[in-house]
Amino acid sequence: EPEVTQTPSHQVTQMGQEVILRCVPISNHLYFYWYRQILGQKVEFLVSFYNNEISEKSEIFDDQFSVERPDGSNFTLKIRSTKLEDSAMYFCASSEGSGTNTDTQYFGPGTRLTVL
Amino acid sequence: GNSVTQMEGPVTLSEEAFLTINCTYTATGYPSLFWYVQYPGEGLQLLLKATKADDKGSNKGFEATYRKETTSFHLEKGSVQVSDSAVYFCALSEDYGQNFVFGPGTRLSVLP
């Protein structure tokens, strides 16, 4: 069964450094998403991406964040200057974009980001 | 805006006990409703979904019925197992391509 993959599984970085989290969505999917989950808290939406551009973003997704689909398979989240409060599990998801509201999002296993 | 409320737990049950995790939602339109499960150290896995009123989603012995009149989507299982210990998230989506709104999650611990 096709699945969303994410690398790395765990990233440790120093405050102020840039990180890139990578995702490979399911191959025939058209919509891509990033969510984050601060330890012990709820899953929060960051951004959605369709047709090579951001379709929606939350207030969390400020100027330090960016997303890119650099080739036909990868979908990346860049955090330009990490802060301690960016420490969280980051989940990538993808969906078919079926044109109905039955569109299911499939999640990757997550990347745990630790900012020291 | 849209929101999802669920009992936060933790919920601790003995094996073979009956499980109910309540979930209610607020939405402007007619959302699809989902339950996701997160096992320790893992990502989010789709457990079941329902896309319109009175639909029942089911998987692995879990069930939930979309109740428009009470704006609820309660998760139930007749007999839980130790392997069901996880965090369960209720979520909604208004439309395709739209972000999911998640509830806070309910941690379930099943004791042998």
Side-chain angles (χ1 to χ4, degrees):
Chain A
E1 185 175 328
E3 57 185 19
V4 176
T5 59
Q6 291 184 242
T7 54
S9 58
H10 192 188
Q11 173 90 47
V12 181
T13 190
Q14 296 290 324
M15 190 170 58
Q17 295 297 303
E18 175 183 286
V19 296
I20 297 176
L21 310 183
R22 292 183 166 79
C23 168
V24 179
I26 294 173
S27 62
N28 64 335
H29 284 188
L30 301 180
Y31 284 87
F32 315 118
Y33 312 82
W34 283 102
Y35 292 81
R36 79 172 185 192
Q37 183 185 30
I38 295 172
L39 186 63
Q41 298 187 25
K42 67 192 298 183
V43 179
E44 302 173 292
F45 168 73
L46 293 177
V47 65
S48 59
F49 192 85
Y50 171 73
N51 200 26
N52 284 321
E53 61 184 26
I54 291 173
S55 56
E56 191 177 357
K57 61 183 181 180
S58 73
E59 59 202 25
I60 301 169
F61 193 87
D62 60 22
D63 290 344
Q64 69 163 150
F65 292 94
S66 62
V67 289
E68 192 178 31
R69 188 152 163 82
D71 53 42
S73 60
N74 288 284
F75 179 52
T76 62
L77 174 69
K78 183 190 289 186
I79 309 175
R80 257 180 277 283
S81 178
T82 50
K83 304 190 282 265
L84 294 176
E85 54 265 36
D86 294 327
S87 294
M89 181 74 90
Y90 288 81
F91 292 107
C92 174
S94 69
S95 67
E96 277 187 12
S98 60
T100 72
N101 70 346
T102 63
D103 204 27
T104 298
Q105 293 183 20
Y106 295 88
F107 286 78
T111 293
R112 180 167 298 285
L113 175 65
T114 302
V115 181
L116 302 177
Chain B
N2 298 337
S3 66
V4 175
T5 303
Q6 61 180 107
M7 53 192 290
E8 294 199 26
V11 174
T12 303
L13 296 173
S14 298
E15 207 164 22
E16 299 184 3
F18 183 85
L19 169 71
T20 300
I21 300 177
N22 290 339
C23 170
T24 57
Y25 68 90
T26 303
T28 52
Y30 300 96
S32 293
L33 302 173
F34 303 79
W35 278 101
Y36 281 83
V37 58
Q38 185 178 34
Y39 297 104
E42 299 186 15
L44 297 166
Q45 298 177 26
L46 177 67
L47 182 59
L48 54 84
K49 70 178 184 182
T51 60
K52 60 184 188 295
D54 300 324
D55 266 3
K56 178 187 283 189
S58 61
N59 186 26
K60 299 181 182 178
F62 290 90
E63 293 183 340
T65 301
Y66 189 146
R67 300 282 188 207
K68 187 167 176 292
E69 64 277 12
T70 54
T71 61
S72 65
F73 192 55
H74 304 323
L75 182 69
E76 296 182 337
K77 186 174 186 183
S79 175
V80 293
Q81 306 300 312
V82 172
S83 56
D84 294 326
S85 297
V87 180
Y88 292 81
F89 292 92
C90 185
L92 70 80
S93 173
E94 281 269 33
D95 201 355
Y96 71 93
Q98 297 298 305
N99 62 288
F100 276 25
V101 175
F102 284 87
T106 300
R107 181 174 300 279
L108 170 67
S109 295
V110 181
L111 305 177

